[in-house]
Amino acid sequence: MVEFKREWDIFTSGHTACAGCGAALAIRTIMRAIGKDCIVVNTTSCSEIFSACFPRSAWKVPYIHVTFENGASVASGVSRALKAQGNNHTKVVVIAGDGGTADIGFGALSGSWERNEDILYIMYNNGAYENTGIQRSSQTPLYAWTTTSQIGKEIRGKQEPIKPMVKIAAAHGIPYAASASAGYLLDLENKVKKALNIQGSRFIDVLSPCVPGWKYDPQLTVEVAKLAVETGLWKLNEIENGDIQNEKITVQPNFKPVEDYLKLQGRFKHLTPDEIKYIQARVNKDWKR
């Protein structure tokens, strides 16, 4: 058990995140692992709204708010400017949601990976555009309800599976790509610290449950995040230098039924037994069970 001291908090209390916000929990852990010698580039997202409404800020480090689409571009410029000044120790970190990363900002992010920019990019993944009205993103799971993937007789929530961002990052051949969860904070902390000691582009995809978007009891955030891993729906992994064949699983699931995870969330309450069975079959195939 790791004991944290409050003076280690760089992402401080007093922000306006929802009770039970998985993103706030993850970011607090991420910033403790990073330390003060960093510059944070934060794209438009829930985290920017609840942490940096002028004149208040929850950040105790240099902080830049940027738009959805240019987080990787701004971070690339900051990283190169620091090196031009002879500063090779200050870490440049992007904190962004899934909409600003996998959708709107993906072009700039892919370009930064192609150039192997020396930045750590962390996507907290709550599976939708939660702060603008819970619209679907490419990270919304199959069959999930959002305000733009409604439930009817023919259309049953989102019709497409999640875009696999860790595999896409690895396909660029970047030094480090990993997946983490707000339900496994020590695993998340270890991955952030490992990434900080690697030069070049690094990417971490952090599952971050959202109370209003996923529609569950706020006290269940950690349980929901853990069940995603335990059922095999969310894989905790690492891929180094694009070597997908040697993907490392950092937490082995015990393969609880996917229904255990789905039934806690209102966004899946419409699912039929056949639809749950289909999701279970996809998990089994992914893990070759």
Side-chain angles (χ1 to χ4, degrees), residues 184 223 226-233 252-262 280 283-284 287 289:
Y184 290 83
E223 182 176 346
K226 282 183 174 293
L227 277 169
V229 175
E230 292 169 348
T231 57
L233 276 162
Q252 287 290 341
N254 53 14
F255 297 109
K256 291 182 177 178
V258 296
E259 187 173 8
D260 291 358
Y261 170 74
L262 301 172
Q280 183 68 67
V283 170
N284 294 345
W287 287 90
R289 296 179 71 230

Side-chain angles (χ1 to χ4, degrees), residues 11 25 50 65 74 76 81 116 119 164-165 223 229 239 259 278:
F11 183 75
L25 179 61
F50 68 64
H65 166 231
V74 171
S76 298
N116 195 25
I119 60 177
M165 284 299 293
E223 182 176 346
V229 175
I239 301 173
E259 187 173 8
Y278 179 71

